[in-house]
Amino acid sequence: MDDSNMDLETTSIVDNKAARDGTAVFVSSGTFTGTSLAVQGNFAGASAYTATCISACEPGFFGNCAAVEGASGCFVNCAGCEACSAGTMSPVAGATSAVSCSPCGTGQASSEGSSSCDPCSVGRFAASNSSDEGGGLVTQVLSGASSCSLCPGGHFAASEATVVCQTCDAGTTSSPGSSACSSCAAGKFSSTGATKCLDCDAGKAASFAGATSCQTCDAGTASSAGSFACSSCVAGKFSSTGATRCLDCDAGKAASFAGATSCQTCDAGTASSAGSFNCSSCVAGKFSSTGATKCLNCDAGKAASSAGTTSCTPCSPESHAVPGSSSCAISAVGFFLDPMGSGASFSCPDSAKCLGGTTMPIPSSGWYCDRSNLAFTHFMYKCNRGTCNPDQDSQRRLTASQESCWDISQIGKGANASCDSDALLCEEGAQGYLCGGCKESYTFSKAKGACVACNSLRNNLISNGVLGALVLAAGAASVGYARGWRFPDRCLNMPPFSILQHINKGTLKVAWSTYQIIGTISWNLGVRFPEPFSTMLAFLSVLQFDFTSLECIFENTDYITRVYLTSLLPIAVAFFIGVLYMMRRYRCENESEGRIRELNFQHSWALLLLSYLVLPTCSMIQFQGLDCQELAHGPSFLVADSNIDCASASYRSFAVVDALFIFVYQSIPLFWFFFLWRSRDKLNPPGQPQETTLKNRESDESLQHLNFLFSDYTPKRWYYEVVDMYRRMMFIAVLPLLGTGVLRAVLGCLLSVFAALAVFVESPFLLESTNTLLITSQYQIMSTFFVATVIMSDSSSMFGLSDFGVGCLGLALNCAVLLLAGFFTFRAQREYLKLVKLPPGCKYHFFLSHFQKNSGDQCYTLYHALTARGFLVWFDMRMGELTEPAVKKGVEQSAVFVIFLNRNTLSREFVQRELATAMALGKTKMAFIEKDARRDAPLDETGRPERRLICFNGDGGAETPPAMIELTDALLASHMTLEYERRWPYVEAMVARFLALANTTGGINADLSLSLQRIPVPPLMVSVNILHTS
């Protein structure tokens, strides 16, 4: 409907349907004007509307129409008009038939009831009513098209009123309704009439737009789907023709340039991994064969010195290489590298083990090296002590961390601080050169041969505790003896003192000197004896009088301090003895000459005993204070304490003082000899029989202060104590300064044999048993040196002995001297018994009568003094039956009746009965009289014996018969009564005089000359004094 001239102001549509179906359209208001009416229907409206009623059909319609005007409007009745069909048109109104509808021309189209045909727009074309618009093309285009269809994809219509769409060329595409075809982009292609461009397949490419096809990629290139170009393969990759991707070269091959069509196999001496652009030459220390995927390390013991090596060269016998080495720059097992960096390898020292590689020589157990400088690490030094122990177990294995510390990089400057040299080379507590010093809070134990912790109670007790106890005991005994204190005689006759009565002083000297020497062997040789022998040596260390724990008592104590203390302490003790002598001499100024001689004897004996005990040990410590050792590269240190630098000014000053100490102490035996030499005519008078000489020197009071030095020896060997002292100092002090440990052990064996031969030839001791014991002890010392040699040379396996077996052997050999000492003592006792004869009809030599209350102890002493010499004594305290008949029988069977006289003795009933029996039988009667007023001596105001006091019965005793009083007077007036002595050596003279009297008057018939040579030591009499007969 043409409504161009329609103006609707206010319209009310009664029915929304078009008037085509004949319904009425009523317009109630407004103005409707138009030149044509292309619709049918009735219009009704207000009178205000003005309408022109036309009776003909509108353009595009045909048929009959009638117009009726009414009061309310214009009503058109067009039920007879029909629309022209689609594809036709009727340009004018009033058409009455279908013939009036003309078909649209080509390229045009119309819809139903059209008054004109419209041309098809761009991208469209006109088709007949029967044409297929599903995408195909009308091959024969007719007029009268009802509509314009879109050109299908792959076609286009570039102008209006197109009858047929043109097909797109190859390389272009179009979508439906396109006015033109678009070219395919690079990497895509299309064929003729294509609706879309297709991606080039992988392995192909289109390098320009509008491609009608894709080109296949050449070998050496590749592309993915839709690629506009084939990319060349990068180096290390390759491809064949039409490859969709470049492939990595296989391992052992390589492509060195881009666009490779294949990979080259690697030559020998090179290798490559997958995808490599070249074959890399094997670095030094590696090799390969042709086509190798990787370079292999040279085997251990081989090396490759240059890159690209096809095989490795074996190392020389002395050198070695770890796997992958470029040179034989490390040592083989049993060799070590030149620490100066020449690269050469040297044979391992005998006293070390070499693990090869870059490991420097590791000292064997008992050896040491200086790790402070790499240049000196391969010098091995034998340790003077048993404190060097770099190996951690009996198999001499090191842990991995310890082994790494011996690498050449860990020695000298810049070494790893965790690789402590003392910890690697020394036992716990030891430090310094040759591990010869002890760390703080440690002290060196000569018995153990090791640095022991100061909190070791055993060490302190054995050394300072025992020594302190001995010093205090000796001091207390000396002071007590000076003040007149005495041990009760009864106590002295009880074990263990009674046992000492059978031991000869010469035997004691032999045992003491032997064990003193043996106790120093471990220290002097630097050898550690195994258990249980080492425990025995620990106890024997007491005999050294060496303050081994000074470091634990005083701070900053070193060996120099030890020398000072060890040297000055005996001097201080000697000074104290001298001061004490001066004080006592001043107090005894008005005493008798005998008392003064006794005073001289006591203090000279104390000084001689002091020097005898401490001289070897002091000499050893002093000599070791001058024993310095210098290492091959220069450091000089004290062997006894490597913490001390011998090149220091302080040490040089000390050395001067130490030399003075040595001079003083070594002069002491010469002083002995001087004093003995002055008395040589008394000790060994020319042409005098030995028996007479022995009796004279025992009774000569001018010799008693030297008794300690000569009493055990024959008159001809009066000087032997001096010789023996220097023998002891040779073993203890001088031997440690000679050579190495093994050499010292050999020299010790030779010196022992020489000493044994000298004793065998000279027989210096009075008792043959003591000479035999001394010879045996020399072989015992030699055996100990031999055991030490076995240990130091690791020869114990040759004898089939374990360490414990060696220790037991040493213990057994060193117990021999004790067993032999006891054996010879009791054998000598038995031998002497054969020399003492009993008178006919007698069972006892002596009968001891006494008042138990005030003379029991004295008679105990006399009993032991006589029985020790082999005499048989009837003594009531040793008899089982003490009835009157038994006592009487004892008197009858005794050769000599001996009575001990003190206050009230003869007032005792039992004493009177015993004496009466002796008088009736006519027995020889002898007496001892107490002279000590403190012990009930029967002395008057002038100090003379008084019969009245002996017979006094004031304490309830019986009256003394007149005959006994007369006998007492006779005894006191005769030489048959001896004063009882308690002070040694006067006791010896008293017993000797008593036996001489008994021999001449009592018929004892004993060979006293032999008894003076062979009998054991007399009993312990006072304090620490041991009686002896010589």
Side-chain angles (χ1 to χ4, degrees):
M1 178 182 63
D2 189 358
D3 54 0
S4 59
N5 295 321
M6 183 175 294
D7 181 16
L8 292 176
E9 294 182 357
T10 302
T11 305
S12 177
I13 299 176
V14 177
D15 189 353
N16 289 330
K17 294 183 179 181
R20 296 170 187 254
D21 57 0
T23 59
V25 177
F26 176 73
V27 180
S28 61
S29 64
T31 301
F32 179 81
T33 58
T35 58
S36 63
L37 185 62
V39 295
Q40 295 179 355
N42 297 321
F43 293 86
S47 59
Y49 280 96
T50 300
T52 300
C53 295
I54 302 175
S55 60
C57 290
E58 292 292 324
F61 292 86
F62 67 90
N64 296 318
C65 288
V68 181
E69 295 184 0
S72 301
C74 183
F75 294 90
V76 179
N77 185 10
C78 291
C81 293
E82 296 181 14
C84 290
S85 62
T88 62
M89 61 95 180
S90 176
V92 295
T96 59
S97 63
V99 177
S100 299
C101 297
S102 301
C104 292
T106 59
Q108 295 180 339
S110 65
S111 59
E112 182 180 356
S114 296
S115 61
S116 62
C117 292
D118 298 321
C120 292
S121 62
V122 175
R124 293 177 178 271
F125 71 98
S128 66
N129 290 331
S130 61
S131 65
D132 182 11
E133 297 184 14
L137 292 176
V138 179
T139 58
Q140 183 177 2
V141 180
L142 299 177
S143 60
S146 60
S147 63
C148 291
S149 300
L150 295 174
C151 289
H155 295 79
F156 71 97
S159 59
E160 295 180 348
T162 297
V163 176
V164 177
C165 296
Q166 297 180 2
T167 302
C168 290
D169 296 333
T172 62
T173 61
S174 67
S175 58
S178 296
S179 61
C181 294
S182 300
S183 294
C184 292
K188 297 180 180 290
F189 76 99
S190 68
S191 58
T192 302
T195 60
K196 65 177 181 178
C197 295
L198 302 177
D199 287 334
C200 290
D201 294 336
K204 295 182 178 182
S207 59
F208 54 88
T212 60
S213 63
C214 298
Q215 301 299 317
T216 301
C217 292
D218 295 332
T221 64
S223 68
S224 58
S227 297
F228 64 87
C230 294
S231 301
S232 293
C233 295
V234 298
K237 296 180 181 289
F238 76 99
S239 69
S240 57
T241 303
T244 60
R245 62 186 181 89
C246 294
L247 303 177
D248 287 335
C249 291
D250 293 337
K253 296 183 178 182
S256 59
F257 54 87
T261 60
S262 63
C263 299
Q264 302 299 317
T265 301
C266 293
D267 297 331
T270 64
S272 68
S273 58
S276 297
F277 64 88
N278 66 349
C279 294
S280 301
S281 293
C282 294
V283 298
K286 296 180 180 289
F287 75 100
S288 70
S289 56
T290 302
T293 60
K294 64 176 181 178
C295 295
L296 302 177
N297 286 329
C298 292
D299 294 335
K302 295 182 178 181
S305 58
S306 60
T309 301
T310 60
S311 62
C312 300
T313 304
C315 297
S316 59
E318 69 275 7
S319 61
H320 187 65
V322 298
S325 296
S326 60
S327 63
C328 298
I330 61 175
S331 300
V333 175
F335 295 85
F336 70 96
L337 284 177
D338 180 8
M340 303 309 294
S342 67
S345 294
F346 301 104
S347 296
C348 193
D350 293 337
S351 53
K353 61 180 178 181
C354 296
L355 304 178
T358 57
T359 302
M360 295 303 290
I362 303 174
S364 301
S365 183
W367 290 79
Y368 178 87
C369 71
D370 185 5
R371 287 173 46 90
S372 64
N373 192 312
L374 183 60
F376 310 130
T377 308
H378 59 288
F379 292 107
M380 299 293 139
Y381 303 94
K382 179 66 176 176
C383 289
N384 299 310
R385 297 178 174 180
T387 51
C388 292
N389 188 24
D391 302 327
Q392 299 303 306
D393 57 26
S394 59
Q395 300 300 318
R396 297 187 175 178
R397 292 188 294 262
L398 297 177
T399 64
S401 60
Q402 291 169 335
E403 184 176 314
S404 66
C405 289
W406 288 97
D407 189 86
I408 198 169
S409 63
Q410 299 298 323
I411 299 175
K413 295 182 178 180
N416 187 349
S418 63
C419 296
D420 180 65
S421 294
D422 290 336
L424 291 171
L425 292 167
C426 306
E427 287 189 341
E428 180 184 358
Q431 66 177 0
Y433 291 117
L434 274 64
C435 302
C438 292
K439 296 179 180 179
E440 187 176 355
S441 299
Y442 283 82
T443 184
F444 184 74
S445 170
K446 292 181 179 179
K448 292 179 173 293
C451 293
V452 297
C454 286
N455 58 6
S456 173
L457 293 178
R458 181 182 180 186
N459 175 68
N460 292 330
L461 288 175
I462 290 179
S463 56
N464 294 330
V466 175
L467 281 176
L470 290 176
V471 172
L472 291 176
S478 299
V479 174
Y481 189 77
R483 296 178 62 89
W485 300 344
R486 301 292 185 271
F487 285 111
D489 292 341
R490 182 183 298 273
C491 295
L492 298 177
N493 291 302
M494 296 176 61
F497 299 110
S498 61
I499 298 175
L500 298 177
Q501 300 174 44
H502 298 280
I503 301 178
N504 179 267
K505 181 161 62 68
T507 301
L508 283 178
K509 285 184 176 181
V510 171
W512 176 276
S513 61
T514 300
Y515 285 118
Q516 193 175 48
I517 293 171
I518 291 174
T520 62
I521 291 178
S522 176
W523 157 257
N524 290 340
L525 300 184
V527 64
R528 184 176 300 175
F529 289 100
E531 293 289 353
F533 188 37
S534 62
T535 299
M536 176 183 178
L537 293 179
F539 286 100
L540 292 180
S541 64
V542 178
L543 304 181
Q544 306 306 318
F545 285 90
D546 181 17
F547 297 97
T548 56
S549 298
L550 290 175
E551 295 87 347
C552 299
I553 302 174
F554 306 104
E555 294 183 359
N556 302 321
T557 301
D558 57 12
Y559 195 82
I560 292 177
T561 306
R562 176 176 294 181
V563 173
Y564 282 130
L565 291 176
T566 305
S567 301
L568 293 175
L569 184 59
I571 295 175
V573 174
F575 179 77
F576 170 76
I577 294 174
V579 171
L580 184 62
Y581 169 77
M582 297 299 295
M583 294 173 60
R584 296 181 66 194
R585 181 64 184 271
Y586 176 77
R587 293 180 58 186
C588 299
E589 186 175 357
N590 298 322
E591 294 285 342
S592 63
E593 184 179 350
R595 174 61 175 160
I596 294 176
R597 282 198 301 269
E598 180 184 356
L599 191 64
N600 293 338
F601 161 74
Q602 292 174 357
H603 288 270
S604 62
W605 180 86
L607 288 173
L608 289 172
L609 179 62
L610 174 67
S611 60
Y612 178 85
L613 294 177
V614 304
L615 184 55
T617 299
C618 291
S619 299
M620 175 184 68
I621 294 175
Q622 291 162 1
F623 275 110
Q624 290 171 353
L626 298 180
D627 185 17
C628 290
Q629 181 174 348
E630 183 175 353
L631 301 185
H633 56 285
S636 177
F637 56 90
L638 192 65
V639 173
D641 187 351
S642 60
N643 294 325
I644 298 176
D645 182 8
C646 289
S648 64
S650 60
Y651 174 78
R652 289 195 295 268
S653 300
F654 156 76
V656 174
V657 179
D658 191 24
L660 180 60
F661 283 145
I662 292 175
F663 174 78
V664 171
Y665 274 79
Q666 297 311 303
S667 300
I668 292 176
L670 298 179
F671 280 102
W672 293 358
F673 181 82
F674 172 74
F675 290 120
L676 291 171
W677 182 82
R678 285 176 50 185
S679 304
R680 65 190 182 281
D681 292 336
K682 296 181 180 180
L683 295 173
N684 184 32
Q688 188 176 86
Q690 177 170 293
E691 293 79 5
T692 304
T693 302
L694 291 175
K695 293 179 182 179
N696 291 339
R697 75 180 190 180
E698 288 300 323
S699 60
D700 190 342
E701 295 182 351
S702 65
L703 295 176
Q704 297 311 307
H705 65 288
L706 299 175
N707 185 281
F708 183 85
L709 297 176
F710 67 78
S711 61
D712 300 302
Y713 304 105
T714 63
K716 291 183 179 180
R717 303 293 176 257
W718 52 267
Y719 54 83
Y720 195 79
E721 193 68 69
V722 177
V723 176
D724 191 65
M725 176 56 69
Y726 280 119
R727 176 188 70 89
R728 292 163 61 196
M729 289 194 292
M730 279 293 298
F731 279 111
I732 296 175
V734 179
L735 187 62
L737 307 179
L738 305 177
T740 61
V742 175
L743 176 60
R744 296 172 196 166
V746 174
L747 292 176
C749 291
L750 296 177
L751 185 59
S752 302
V753 173
F754 176 79
L757 293 176
V759 174
F760 178 78
V761 173
E762 296 294 329
S763 297
F765 285 96
L766 281 171
L767 298 181
E768 289 301 324
S769 60
T770 307
N771 289 321
T772 304
L773 182 64
L774 181 57
I775 293 173
T776 305
S777 67
Q778 299 311 301
Y779 287 110
Q780 176 188 355
I781 295 172
M782 183 196 69
S783 301
T784 306
F785 277 112
F786 175 75
V787 171
T789 305
V790 171
I791 295 174
M792 288 186 291
S793 59
D794 293 329
S795 303
S796 57
S797 58
M798 296 175 55
F799 301 94
L801 294 175
S802 63
D803 289 344
F804 181 75
V806 173
C808 291
L809 176 63
L811 179 64
L813 291 174
N814 283 276
C815 287
V817 71
L818 290 178
L819 298 176
L820 286 173
F823 170 75
F824 287 133
T825 296
F826 290 104
R827 191 183 72 170
Q829 177 73 10
R830 289 196 304 270
E831 288 178 353
Y832 180 71
L833 290 176
K834 300 175 183 178
L835 303 175
V836 181
K837 299 179 181 179
L838 283 168
C842 292
K843 188 176 180 180
Y844 304 98
H845 294 96
F846 303 104
F847 183 98
L848 286 181
S849 178
H850 65 103
F851 179 17
Q852 176 64 29
K853 178 181 177 181
N854 51 19
S855 59
D857 291 341
Q858 295 90 320
C859 288
Y860 256 113
T861 299
L862 289 173
Y863 171 80
H864 284 291
L866 294 172
T867 56
R869 288 165 169 78
F871 294 100
L872 300 177
V873 181
W874 195 101
F875 180 43
D876 58 357
M877 302 307 296
R878 291 293 185 179
M879 297 294 110
E881 185 180 356
L882 295 179
T883 62
E884 185 174 351
V887 173
K888 183 177 181 180
K889 187 175 182 180
V891 176
E892 292 175 352
Q893 295 178 340
S894 299
V896 179
F897 181 88
V898 182
I899 185 170
F900 195 96
L901 301 176
N902 52 14
R903 288 178 181 269
N904 307 329
T905 300
L906 290 181
S907 66
R908 315 321 298 173
E909 184 178 354
F910 268 102
V911 174
Q912 292 177 3
R913 293 175 184 174
E914 294 166 355
L915 182 55
T917 303
M919 293 172 64
L921 295 174
K923 296 292 184 179
T924 300
K925 291 169 281 295
M926 300 180 67
F928 285 96
I929 187 168
E930 180 64 69
K931 69 173 185 177
D932 191 342
R934 295 170 299 181
R935 296 177 181 264
D936 294 329
L939 306 177
D940 58 16
E941 292 78 3
T942 63
R944 297 176 59 84
E946 185 175 353
R947 179 249 303 166
R948 179 182 60 84
L949 298 176
I950 298 173
C951 302
F952 180 69
N953 62 352
D955 60 350
E959 292 289 341
T960 304
M964 294 183 183
I965 295 176
E966 293 178 2
L967 175 62
T968 303
D969 291 337
L971 286 174
L972 293 176
S974 71
H975 63 283
M976 302 298 287
T977 299
L978 303 176
E979 290 184 346
Y980 182 77
E981 296 283 353
R982 283 184 171 81
R983 294 182 176 89
W984 180 66
Y986 302 112
V987 175
E988 299 177 3
M990 176 190 72
V991 175
R993 287 195 299 271
F994 171 78
L995 290 176
L997 289 173
N999 193 46
T1000 57
T1001 62
I1004 298 301
N1005 194 25
D1007 188 348
L1008 295 180
S1009 63
L1010 291 176
S1011 72
L1012 292 174
Q1013 298 181 51
R1014 294 180 173 275
I1015 61 173
V1017 176
L1020 186 65
M1021 301 298 293
V1022 289
S1023 187
V1024 294
N1025 300 324
I1026 301 177
L1027 289 176
H1028 63 93
T1029 299
S1030 52

